[in-house]
Amino acid sequence: MISGGYVKVTKRFTFEMAHALRCHDGPCAHIHGHSYVLDVTVVGVPKQEADHPKDGMVIDFAQLKKLVQGAVIDHYDHALVLHEKERDQAIPGHGMFGRTRFTSWQPTCEELLLDIVERVRKALPDPGMLHAVRLQETATSWAEWGRV
């Protein structure tokens, strides 16, 4: 055992999601999809309890996977995300729109990231553990949230 301090632990997730940006002045105004890469980083002091099943861990990767899966991935994977003012554009009752998520905010990468941050905070055993979240929308574009 090495005596140390705080350790950052990161887990990567992927999901597929479509969206359209309301009133946007470019091609993103049209429904299109992305293969998102989500990195969630928590910080803490590794547990120091000999013979405890989580000894040496800030958080078990399996636990982090389960909580992000439930709070974020299950909600957004293979969904269409639109601003609530576009609700009349969807075809009611049509199965193709069954995973449409309407939001009060513009579904940009930045706003989606902030929603994910809140979802993960609520799911963590200690919301203060959340250190950073990075949401990559394309191979060359992403948004990041983090504590200073």
Side-chain angles (χ1 to χ4, degrees):
M1 169 178 65
I2 298 174
S3 178
Y6 287 90
V7 175
K8 295 178 197 172
V9 175
T10 301
K11 179 88 177 137
R12 178 165 284 175
F13 303 86
T14 59
F15 63 98
E16 311 299 321
M17 192 193 88
H19 67 154
L21 302 183
R22 185 174 194 281
C23 301
H24 185 64
D25 58 357
C28 291
H30 306 286
I31 293 173
H32 62 286
H34 298 284
S35 294
Y36 287 90
V37 177
L38 174 66
D39 293 329
V40 175
T41 302
V42 297
V43 65
V45 176
K47 183 179 285 296
Q48 299 298 315
E49 292 182 32
D51 301 321
H52 188 283
K54 307 303 181 193
D55 183 40
M57 296 181 185
V58 171
I59 190 170
D60 190 327
F61 283 116
Q63 180 187 8
L64 185 56
K65 179 181 178 181
K66 184 178 180 180
L67 70 88
V68 173
Q69 181 73 38
V72 178
I73 308 302
D74 290 348
H75 182 74
Y76 283 121
D77 190 37
H78 285 81
L80 168 61
V81 180
L82 300 172
H83 191 281
E84 62 190 13
K85 291 185 179 177
E86 303 296 344
R87 190 178 295 272
D88 62 336
Q89 301 299 316
I91 303 169
H94 191 286
M96 186 179 350
F97 292 92
R99 287 194 51 82
T100 302
R101 308 288 187 236
F102 293 99
T103 65
S104 60
W105 37 268
Q106 178 79 303
T108 60
C109 186
E110 297 91 334
E111 294 286 356
L112 182 61
L113 171 70
L114 292 174
D115 183 69
I116 289 169
V117 166
E118 287 310 306
R119 289 172 177 279
V120 173
R121 273 186 176 151
K122 289 177 184 175
L124 282 168
D126 172 6
M129 294 177 72
L130 190 59
H131 180 76
V133 180
R134 180 179 185 264
L135 182 64
Q136 186 170 340
E137 189 172 84
T138 70
T140 60
S141 304
W142 58 85
E144 295 178 89
W145 172 91
R147 296 190 310 186
V148 177

